[in-house]
PDB file of all heavy atoms in Angstrom:
ATOM      1  N   ASP A   1     111.906  87.651 108.029  1.00 50.00           N
ATOM      2  CA  ASP A   1     112.306  86.652 108.974  1.00 50.00           C
ATOM      3  C   ASP A   1     111.179  86.333 109.888  1.00 50.00           C
ATOM      4  O   ASP A   1     110.722  87.086 110.712  1.00 50.00           O
ATOM      5  CB  ASP A   1     113.531  87.237 109.748  1.00 50.00           C
ATOM      6  CG  ASP A   1     114.112  86.419 110.819  1.00 50.00           C
ATOM      7  OD1 ASP A   1     113.650  85.210 110.886  1.00 50.00           O
ATOM      8  OD2 ASP A   1     115.054  86.781 111.528  1.00 50.00           O
ATOM      9  N   GLU A   2     110.861  85.002 109.916  1.00 59.00           N
ATOM     10  CA  GLU A   2     109.762  84.534 110.738  1.00 59.00           C
ATOM     11  C   GLU A   2     110.255  84.547 112.322  1.00 59.00           C
ATOM     12  O   GLU A   2     109.253  84.266 113.119  1.00 59.00           O
ATOM     13  CB  GLU A   2     109.335  83.095 110.383  1.00 59.00           C
ATOM     14  CG  GLU A   2     108.659  83.071 108.966  1.00 59.00           C
ATOM     15  CD  GLU A   2     108.133  81.853 108.600  1.00 59.00           C
ATOM     16  OE1 GLU A   2     107.739  81.050 109.537  1.00 59.00           O
ATOM     17  OE2 GLU A   2     107.913  81.573 107.346  1.00 59.00           O
ATOM     18  N   ASN A   3     111.429  84.638 112.683  1.00 71.00           N
ATOM     19  CA  ASN A   3     111.955  84.590 114.020  1.00 71.00           C
ATOM     20  C   ASN A   3     111.949  85.785 114.771  1.00 71.00           C
ATOM     21  O   ASN A   3     112.483  85.996 115.809  1.00 71.00           O
ATOM     22  CB  ASN A   3     113.313  83.975 113.966  1.00 71.00           C
ATOM     23  CG  ASN A   3     113.304  82.493 113.375  1.00 71.00           C
ATOM     24  OD1 ASN A   3     112.364  81.751 113.641  1.00 71.00           O
ATOM     25  ND2 ASN A   3     114.210  82.268 112.545  1.00 71.00           N
ATOM     26  N   HIS A   4     111.253  86.872 114.216  1.00 78.00           N
ATOM     27  CA  HIS A   4     111.248  88.198 115.016  1.00 78.00           C
ATOM     28  C   HIS A   4     110.445  87.975 116.330  1.00 78.00           C
ATOM     29  O   HIS A   4     109.482  87.200 116.437  1.00 78.00           O
ATOM     30  CB  HIS A   4     110.482  89.198 114.198  1.00 78.00           C
ATOM     31  CG  HIS A   4     111.168  89.641 112.989  1.00 78.00           C
ATOM     32  ND1 HIS A   4     112.418  90.335 113.075  1.00 78.00           N
ATOM     33  CD2 HIS A   4     110.968  89.586 111.726  1.00 78.00           C
ATOM     34  CE1 HIS A   4     112.909  90.564 111.886  1.00 78.00           C
ATOM     35  NE2 HIS A   4     111.957  90.099 110.995  1.00 78.00           N
ATOM     36  N   ASN A   5     111.005  88.676 117.401  1.00 87.00           N
ATOM     37  CA  ASN A   5     110.194  88.550 118.536  1.00 87.00           C
ATOM     38  C   ASN A   5     108.856  89.410 118.476  1.00 87.00           C
ATOM     39  O   ASN A   5     108.745  90.120 117.482  1.00 87.00           O
ATOM     40  CB  ASN A   5     111.050  89.137 119.842  1.00 87.00           C
ATOM     41  CG  ASN A   5     111.341  90.674 119.791  1.00 87.00           C
ATOM     42  OD1 ASN A   5     110.483  91.382 119.357  1.00 87.00           O
ATOM     43  ND2 ASN A   5     112.670  90.899 120.041  1.00 87.00           N
ATOM     44  N   GLU A   6     107.985  89.274 119.374  1.00 88.00           N
ATOM     45  CA  GLU A   6     106.577  89.982 119.171  1.00 88.00           C
ATOM     46  C   GLU A   6     106.669  91.504 119.059  1.00 88.00           C
ATOM     47  O   GLU A   6     105.939  92.109 118.282  1.00 88.00           O
ATOM     48  CB  GLU A   6     105.763  89.751 120.364  1.00 88.00           C
ATOM     49  CG  GLU A   6     105.447  88.187 120.516  1.00 88.00           C
ATOM     50  CD  GLU A   6     104.840  87.339 119.281  1.00 88.00           C
ATOM     51  OE1 GLU A   6     103.724  87.903 118.828  1.00 88.00           O
ATOM     52  OE2 GLU A   6     105.424  86.658 118.706  1.00 88.00           O
ATOM     53  N   ALA A   7     107.519  92.075 119.810  1.00 90.00           N
ATOM     54  CA  ALA A   7     107.703  93.561 119.873  1.00 90.00           C
ATOM     55  C   ALA A   7     108.306  93.969 118.542  1.00 90.00           C
ATOM     56  O   ALA A   7     107.814  94.904 117.766  1.00 90.00           O
ATOM     57  CB  ALA A   7     108.702  94.142 120.890  1.00 90.00           C
ATOM     58  N   GLU A   8     109.164  93.289 117.864  1.00 92.00           N
ATOM     59  CA  GLU A   8     109.743  93.631 116.495  1.00 92.00           C
ATOM     60  C   GLU A   8     108.673  93.384 115.544  1.00 92.00           C
ATOM     61  O   GLU A   8     108.627  94.243 114.474  1.00 92.00           O
ATOM     62  CB  GLU A   8     111.031  92.749 116.337  1.00 92.00           C
ATOM     63  CG  GLU A   8     111.750  93.181 115.006  1.00 92.00           C
ATOM     64  CD  GLU A   8     112.343  94.475 114.862  1.00 92.00           C
ATOM     65  OE1 GLU A   8     112.392  95.215 115.921  1.00 92.00           O
ATOM     66  OE2 GLU A   8     112.795  94.951 113.810  1.00 92.00           O
ATOM     67  N   LEU A   9     108.002  92.342 115.526  1.00 92.00           N
ATOM     68  CA  LEU A   9     107.046  92.007 114.521  1.00 92.00           C
ATOM     69  C   LEU A   9     105.976  93.127 114.518  1.00 92.00           C
ATOM     70  O   LEU A   9     105.445  93.524 113.505  1.00 92.00           O
ATOM     71  CB  LEU A   9     106.325  90.613 114.751  1.00 92.00           C
ATOM     72  CG  LEU A   9     105.344  90.204 113.751  1.00 92.00           C
ATOM     73  CD1 LEU A   9     105.929  90.321 112.368  1.00 92.00           C
ATOM     74  CD2 LEU A   9     104.872  88.885 114.061  1.00 92.00           C
ATOM     75  N   LYS A  10     105.553  93.499 115.818  1.00 93.00           N
ATOM     76  CA  LYS A  10     104.571  94.626 115.920  1.00 93.00           C
ATOM     77  C   LYS A  10     105.035  95.891 115.232  1.00 93.00           C
ATOM     78  O   LYS A  10     104.324  96.528 114.511  1.00 93.00           O
ATOM     79  CB  LYS A  10     104.296  94.802 117.444  1.00 93.00           C
ATOM     80  CG  LYS A  10     103.168  95.732 117.781  1.00 93.00           C
ATOM     81  CD  LYS A  10     102.950  95.634 119.246  1.00 93.00           C
ATOM     82  CE  LYS A  10     101.957  96.762 119.685  1.00 93.00           C
ATOM     83  NZ  LYS A  10     101.790  96.792 121.168  1.00 93.00           N
ATOM     84  N   ARG A  11     106.281  96.218 115.417  1.00 94.00           N
ATOM     85  CA  ARG A  11     106.856  97.364 114.819  1.00 94.00           C
ATOM     86  C   ARG A  11     106.879  97.324 113.188  1.00 94.00           C
ATOM     87  O   ARG A  11     106.601  98.283 112.499  1.00 94.00           O
ATOM     88  CB  ARG A  11     108.168  97.619 115.207  1.00 94.00           C
ATOM     89  CG  ARG A  11     108.213  98.179 116.776  1.00 94.00           C
ATOM     90  CD  ARG A  11     109.542  98.719 117.147  1.00 94.00           C
ATOM     91  NE  ARG A  11     110.554  97.660 117.337  1.00 94.00           N
ATOM     92  CZ  ARG A  11     110.704  97.008 118.518  1.00 94.00           C
ATOM     93  NH1 ARG A  11     110.015  97.285 119.669  1.00 94.00           N
ATOM     94  NH2 ARG A  11     111.619  95.984 118.654  1.00 94.00           N
ATOM     95  N   ILE A  12     107.170  96.084 112.806  1.00 94.00           N
ATOM     96  CA  ILE A  12     107.083  95.765 111.232  1.00 94.00           C
ATOM     97  C   ILE A  12     105.827  95.978 110.715  1.00 94.00           C
ATOM     98  O   ILE A  12     105.493  96.619 109.714  1.00 94.00           O
ATOM     99  CB  ILE A  12     107.730  94.249 111.113  1.00 94.00           C
ATOM    100  CG1 ILE A  12     109.125  94.293 111.350  1.00 94.00           C
ATOM    101  CG2 ILE A  12     107.385  93.980 109.600  1.00 94.00           C
ATOM    102  CD1 ILE A  12     109.684  92.847 111.373  1.00 94.00           C
ATOM    103  N   LEU A  13     104.642  95.388 111.449  1.00 94.00           N
ATOM    104  CA  LEU A  13     103.394  95.645 111.037  1.00 94.00           C
ATOM    105  C   LEU A  13     103.083  97.097 110.912  1.00 94.00           C
ATOM    106  O   LEU A  13     102.309  97.570 110.173  1.00 94.00           O
ATOM    107  CB  LEU A  13     102.383  94.755 111.952  1.00 94.00           C
ATOM    108  CG  LEU A  13     102.573  93.263 111.907  1.00 94.00           C
ATOM    109  CD1 LEU A  13     101.714  92.616 112.964  1.00 94.00           C
ATOM    110  CD2 LEU A  13     102.140  92.704 110.453  1.00 94.00           C
ATOM    111  N   GLU A  14     103.246  97.909 111.990  1.00 94.00           N
ATOM    112  CA  GLU A  14     103.124  99.248 112.121  1.00 94.00           C
ATOM    113  C   GLU A  14     103.674  99.953 110.957  1.00 94.00           C
ATOM    114  O   GLU A  14     103.011 100.837 110.283  1.00 94.00           O
ATOM    115  CB  GLU A  14     103.703  99.743 113.490  1.00 94.00           C
ATOM    116  CG  GLU A  14     103.405 101.156 113.708  1.00 94.00           C
ATOM    117  CD  GLU A  14     104.048 101.659 115.024  1.00 94.00           C
ATOM    118  OE1 GLU A  14     105.113 101.154 115.447  1.00 94.00           O
ATOM    119  OE2 GLU A  14     103.364 102.449 115.688  1.00 94.00           O
ATOM    120  N   CYS A  15     104.959  99.642 110.545  1.00 94.00           N
ATOM    121  CA  CYS A  15     105.600 100.373 109.388  1.00 94.00           C
ATOM    122  C   CYS A  15     104.848  99.993 108.125  1.00 94.00           C
ATOM    123  O   CYS A  15     104.575 100.893 107.251  1.00 94.00           O
ATOM    124  CB  CYS A  15     107.071  99.828 109.310  1.00 94.00           C
ATOM    125  SG  CYS A  15     108.126 100.506 110.552  1.00 94.00           S
ATOM    126  N   LEU A  16     104.497  98.759 107.877  1.00 95.00           N
ATOM    127  CA  LEU A  16     103.799  98.417 106.680  1.00 95.00           C
ATOM    128  C   LEU A  16     102.451  99.127 106.562  1.00 95.00           C
ATOM    129  O   LEU A  16     102.110  99.639 105.475  1.00 95.00           O
ATOM    130  CB  LEU A  16     103.579  96.810 106.666  1.00 95.00           C
ATOM    131  CG  LEU A  16     104.799  96.015 106.504  1.00 95.00           C
ATOM    132  CD1 LEU A  16     104.416  94.560 106.719  1.00 95.00           C
ATOM    133  CD2 LEU A  16     105.309  96.150 105.068  1.00 95.00           C
ATOM    134  N   LEU A  17     101.729  99.244 107.699  1.00 94.00           N
ATOM    135  CA  LEU A  17     100.491  99.914 107.621  1.00 94.00           C
ATOM    136  C   LEU A  17     100.641 101.463 107.433  1.00 94.00           C
ATOM    137  O   LEU A  17      99.942 102.074 106.799  1.00 94.00           O
ATOM    138  CB  LEU A  17      99.629  99.680 108.894  1.00 94.00           C
ATOM    139  CG  LEU A  17      99.130  98.280 109.059  1.00 94.00           C
ATOM    140  CD1 LEU A  17      98.816  97.927 110.569  1.00 94.00           C
ATOM    141  CD2 LEU A  17      97.969  98.032 108.271  1.00 94.00           C
ATOM    142  N   PHE A  18     101.726 101.969 107.977  1.00 93.00           N
ATOM    143  CA  PHE A  18     102.016 103.392 107.874  1.00 93.00           C
ATOM    144  C   PHE A  18     102.204 103.916 106.337  1.00 93.00           C
ATOM    145  O   PHE A  18     101.776 104.812 105.943  1.00 93.00           O
ATOM    146  CB  PHE A  18     103.175 103.760 108.797  1.00 93.00           C
ATOM    147  CG  PHE A  18     103.487 105.188 108.671  1.00 93.00           C
ATOM    148  CD1 PHE A  18     102.929 106.145 109.361  1.00 93.00           C
ATOM    149  CD2 PHE A  18     104.661 105.550 107.894  1.00 93.00           C
ATOM    150  CE1 PHE A  18     103.048 107.489 109.302  1.00 93.00           C
ATOM    151  CE2 PHE A  18     105.036 106.930 107.904  1.00 93.00           C
ATOM    152  CZ  PHE A  18     104.220 107.956 108.521  1.00 93.00           C
ATOM    153  N   VAL A  19     102.977 102.876 105.660  1.00 93.00           N
ATOM    154  CA  VAL A  19     103.286 103.369 104.350  1.00 93.00           C
ATOM    155  C   VAL A  19     102.363 102.869 103.316  1.00 93.00           C
ATOM    156  O   VAL A  19     102.332 103.483 102.147  1.00 93.00           O
ATOM    157  CB  VAL A  19     104.717 102.824 103.960  1.00 93.00           C
ATOM    158  CG1 VAL A  19     105.828 103.322 104.814  1.00 93.00           C
ATOM    159  CG2 VAL A  19     104.716 101.305 103.931  1.00 93.00           C
ATOM    160  N   SER A  20     101.378 102.031 103.646  1.00 90.00           N
ATOM    161  CA  SER A  20     100.482 101.662 102.633  1.00 90.00           C
ATOM    162  C   SER A  20      99.354 102.750 102.569  1.00 90.00           C
ATOM    163  O   SER A  20      98.822 103.352 103.459  1.00 90.00           O
ATOM    164  CB  SER A  20      99.838 100.405 103.154  1.00 90.00           C
ATOM    165  OG  SER A  20      98.736  99.965 102.279  1.00 90.00           O
ATOM    166  N   GLY A  21      99.047 102.962 101.285  1.00 84.00           N
ATOM    167  CA  GLY A  21      97.827 103.863 100.953  1.00 84.00           C
ATOM    168  C   GLY A  21      96.620 103.285 100.889  1.00 84.00           C
ATOM    169  O   GLY A  21      95.527 103.886 100.657  1.00 84.00           O
ATOM    170  N   GLU A  22      96.510 101.918 101.163  1.00 89.00           N
ATOM    171  CA  GLU A  22      95.209 101.138 101.125  1.00 89.00           C
ATOM    172  C   GLU A  22      95.137 100.385 102.334  1.00 89.00           C
ATOM    173  O   GLU A  22      96.189  99.931 102.911  1.00 89.00           O
ATOM    174  CB  GLU A  22      95.113 100.427  99.890  1.00 89.00           C
ATOM    175  CG  GLU A  22      96.138  99.435  99.681  1.00 89.00           C
ATOM    176  CD  GLU A  22      96.162  98.782  98.271  1.00 89.00           C
ATOM    177  OE1 GLU A  22      95.821  99.506  97.352  1.00 89.00           O
ATOM    178  OE2 GLU A  22      96.410  97.567  98.168  1.00 89.00           O
ATOM    179  N   PRO A  23      93.920  99.822 102.634  1.00 93.00           N
ATOM    180  CA  PRO A  23      93.872  98.851 103.773  1.00 93.00           C
ATOM    181  C   PRO A  23      94.507  97.592 103.464  1.00 93.00           C
ATOM    182  O   PRO A  23      94.635  97.094 102.289  1.00 93.00           O
ATOM    183  CB  PRO A  23      92.293  98.652 103.915  1.00 93.00           C
ATOM    184  CG  PRO A  23      91.564  99.744 103.234  1.00 93.00           C
ATOM    185  CD  PRO A  23      92.680 100.053 102.181  1.00 93.00           C
ATOM    186  N   LEU A  24      95.292  96.942 104.393  1.00 94.00           N
ATOM    187  CA  LEU A  24      95.935  95.682 104.191  1.00 94.00           C
ATOM    188  C   LEU A  24      95.246  94.608 105.016  1.00 94.00           C
ATOM    189  O   LEU A  24      95.048  94.760 106.263  1.00 94.00           O
ATOM    190  CB  LEU A  24      97.431  95.871 104.673  1.00 94.00           C
ATOM    191  CG  LEU A  24      98.301  96.805 103.919  1.00 94.00           C
ATOM    192  CD1 LEU A  24      99.643  96.841 104.508  1.00 94.00           C
ATOM    193  CD2 LEU A  24      98.387  96.465 102.436  1.00 94.00           C
ATOM    194  N   THR A  25      94.944  93.484 104.374  1.00 93.00           N
ATOM    195  CA  THR A  25      94.435  92.433 105.028  1.00 93.00           C
ATOM    196  C   THR A  25      95.394  91.654 105.923  1.00 93.00           C
ATOM    197  O   THR A  25      96.605  91.703 105.728  1.00 93.00           O
ATOM    198  CB  THR A  25      93.853  91.281 104.210  1.00 93.00           C
ATOM    199  OG1 THR A  25      94.998  90.757 103.337  1.00 93.00           O
ATOM    200  CG2 THR A  25      92.845  91.929 103.146  1.00 93.00           C
ATOM    201  N   PRO A  26      94.913  91.005 107.123  1.00 92.00           N
ATOM    202  CA  PRO A  26      95.808  90.206 107.907  1.00 92.00           C
ATOM    203  C   PRO A  26      96.662  89.202 107.082  1.00 92.00           C
ATOM    204  O   PRO A  26      97.805  88.973 107.351  1.00 92.00           O
ATOM    205  CB  PRO A  26      94.865  89.514 108.798  1.00 92.00           C
ATOM    206  CG  PRO A  26      93.639  90.270 108.976  1.00 92.00           C
ATOM    207  CD  PRO A  26      93.407  90.867 107.458  1.00 92.00           C
ATOM    208  N   ASP A  27      96.128  88.627 106.071  1.00 93.00           N
ATOM    209  CA  ASP A  27      96.778  87.648 105.198  1.00 93.00           C
ATOM    210  C   ASP A  27      98.034  88.279 104.570  1.00 93.00           C
ATOM    211  O   ASP A  27      99.078  87.913 104.566  1.00 93.00           O
ATOM    212  CB  ASP A  27      95.896  86.942 104.164  1.00 93.00           C
ATOM    213  CG  ASP A  27      94.906  86.034 104.761  1.00 93.00           C
ATOM    214  OD1 ASP A  27      95.142  85.475 105.808  1.00 93.00           O
ATOM    215  OD2 ASP A  27      93.774  85.854 104.113  1.00 93.00           O
ATOM    216  N   LYS A  28      97.689  89.509 103.994  1.00 94.00           N
ATOM    217  CA  LYS A  28      98.799  90.270 103.212  1.00 94.00           C
ATOM    218  C   LYS A  28      99.830  90.717 104.179  1.00 94.00           C
ATOM    219  O   LYS A  28     101.021  90.601 103.988  1.00 94.00           O
ATOM    220  CB  LYS A  28      98.241  91.400 102.486  1.00 94.00           C
ATOM    221  CG  LYS A  28      99.225  92.024 101.588  1.00 94.00           C
ATOM    222  CD  LYS A  28      98.609  92.870 100.531  1.00 94.00           C
ATOM    223  CE  LYS A  28      99.680  93.490  99.584  1.00 94.00           C
ATOM    224  NZ  LYS A  28      99.085  93.995  98.454  1.00 94.00           N
ATOM    225  N   LEU A  29      99.459  91.192 105.340  1.00 94.00           N
ATOM    226  CA  LEU A  29     100.366  91.617 106.362  1.00 94.00           C
ATOM    227  C   LEU A  29     101.281  90.479 106.900  1.00 94.00           C
ATOM    228  O   LEU A  29     102.456  90.651 107.021  1.00 94.00           O
ATOM    229  CB  LEU A  29      99.711  92.329 107.607  1.00 94.00           C
ATOM    230  CG  LEU A  29      99.193  93.744 107.338  1.00 94.00           C
ATOM    231  CD1 LEU A  29      98.076  94.119 108.346  1.00 94.00           C
ATOM    232  CD2 LEU A  29     100.333  94.668 107.375  1.00 94.00           C
ATOM    233  N   ALA A  30     100.715  89.308 107.110  1.00 91.00           N
ATOM    234  CA  ALA A  30     101.379  88.208 107.513  1.00 91.00           C
ATOM    235  C   ALA A  30     102.422  87.838 106.460  1.00 91.00           C
ATOM    236  O   ALA A  30     103.644  87.447 106.738  1.00 91.00           O
ATOM    237  CB  ALA A  30     100.412  87.032 107.792  1.00 91.00           C
ATOM    238  N   LYS A  31     101.981  87.847 105.251  1.00 93.00           N
ATOM    239  CA  LYS A  31     102.935  87.471 104.091  1.00 93.00           C
ATOM    240  C   LYS A  31     104.117  88.414 103.905  1.00 93.00           C
ATOM    241  O   LYS A  31     105.235  88.040 103.756  1.00 93.00           O
ATOM    242  CB  LYS A  31     102.144  87.286 102.700  1.00 93.00           C
ATOM    243  CG  LYS A  31     103.064  86.842 101.545  1.00 93.00           C
ATOM    244  CD  LYS A  31     102.150  86.880 100.358  1.00 93.00           C
ATOM    245  CE  LYS A  31     102.977  86.452  99.155  1.00 93.00           C
ATOM    246  NZ  LYS A  31     102.197  86.498  97.964  1.00 93.00           N
ATOM    247  N   LEU A  32     103.848  89.731 104.014  1.00 93.00           N
ATOM    248  CA  LEU A  32     104.819  90.793 103.899  1.00 93.00           C
ATOM    249  C   LEU A  32     105.870  90.666 105.068  1.00 93.00           C
ATOM    250  O   LEU A  32     107.017  90.885 104.852  1.00 93.00           O
ATOM    251  CB  LEU A  32     104.082  92.104 103.689  1.00 93.00           C
ATOM    252  CG  LEU A  32     103.337  92.441 102.519  1.00 93.00           C
ATOM    253  CD1 LEU A  32     102.553  93.699 102.737  1.00 93.00           C
ATOM    254  CD2 LEU A  32     104.377  92.504 101.356  1.00 93.00           C
ATOM    255  N   SER A  33     105.300  90.411 106.312  1.00 92.00           N
ATOM    256  CA  SER A  33     106.145  90.376 107.403  1.00 92.00           C
ATOM    257  C   SER A  33     106.901  88.999 107.702  1.00 92.00           C
ATOM    258  O   SER A  33     107.700  88.956 108.460  1.00 92.00           O
ATOM    259  CB  SER A  33     105.418  90.734 108.755  1.00 92.00           C
ATOM    260  OG  SER A  33     104.437  89.804 108.932  1.00 92.00           O
ATOM    261  N   GLY A  34     106.421  87.959 106.918  1.00 90.00           N
ATOM    262  CA  GLY A  34     107.017  86.741 106.994  1.00 90.00           C
ATOM    263  C   GLY A  34     106.622  85.905 108.228  1.00 90.00           C
ATOM    264  O   GLY A  34     107.358  84.976 108.777  1.00 90.00           O
ATOM    265  N   CYS A  35     105.488  86.198 108.754  1.00 90.00           N
ATOM    266  CA  CYS A  35     105.018  85.522 109.899  1.00 90.00           C
ATOM    267  C   CYS A  35     103.608  84.851 109.624  1.00 90.00           C
ATOM    268  O   CYS A  35     102.937  85.058 108.499  1.00 90.00           O
ATOM    269  CB  CYS A  35     104.801  86.464 111.193  1.00 90.00           C
ATOM    270  SG  CYS A  35     103.406  87.520 111.036  1.00 90.00           S
ATOM    271  N   GLU A  36     103.077  84.066 110.490  1.00 90.00           N
ATOM    272  CA  GLU A  36     101.804  83.414 110.191  1.00 90.00           C
ATOM    273  C   GLU A  36     100.686  84.433 110.674  1.00 90.00           C
ATOM    274  O   GLU A  36     100.835  85.238 111.506  1.00 90.00           O
ATOM    275  CB  GLU A  36     101.602  82.141 111.113  1.00 90.00           C
ATOM    276  CG  GLU A  36     102.573  81.030 110.765  1.00 90.00           C
ATOM    277  CD  GLU A  36     102.534  79.886 111.542  1.00 90.00           C
ATOM    278  OE1 GLU A  36     101.464  79.763 112.214  1.00 90.00           O
ATOM    279  OE2 GLU A  36     103.291  79.085 111.475  1.00 90.00           O
ATOM    280  N   LYS A  37      99.542  84.255 109.947  1.00 89.00           N
ATOM    281  CA  LYS A  37      98.373  85.140 110.236  1.00 89.00           C
ATOM    282  C   LYS A  37      97.976  85.115 111.737  1.00 89.00           C
ATOM    283  O   LYS A  37      97.677  86.098 112.306  1.00 89.00           O
ATOM    284  CB  LYS A  37      97.233  84.705 109.291  1.00 89.00           C
ATOM    285  CG  LYS A  37      95.975  85.581 109.510  1.00 89.00           C
ATOM    286  CD  LYS A  37      94.901  85.016 108.548  1.00 89.00           C
ATOM    287  CE  LYS A  37      93.490  85.657 108.762  1.00 89.00           C
ATOM    288  NZ  LYS A  37      92.452  85.112 107.983  1.00 89.00           N
TER     289      LYS A  37
END
């Protein structure tokens, strides 16, 4: 959902990074979280 507030989006990015076993690019993180880079 692109309409997440900043705090929620930050938590989403944190979760994605936590579970990933490899570095995630800003492009990939933006795509996975549904927000703009």
Side-chain angles (χ1 to χ4, degrees):
D1 179 4
E2 292 186 27
N3 297 319
H4 290 297
N5 66 40
E6 300 302 297
E8 181 69 9
L9 181 56
K10 187 173 168 182
R11 288 189 290 270
I12 291 167
L13 295 172
E14 182 178 36
C15 286
L16 290 168
L17 290 163
F18 179 76
V19 299
S20 178
E22 60 187 37
L24 296 174
T25 64
D27 287 333
K28 187 164 188 172
L29 283 163
K31 183 178 178 183
L32 290 169
S33 65
C35 75
E36 294 181 14
K37 179 180 171 184

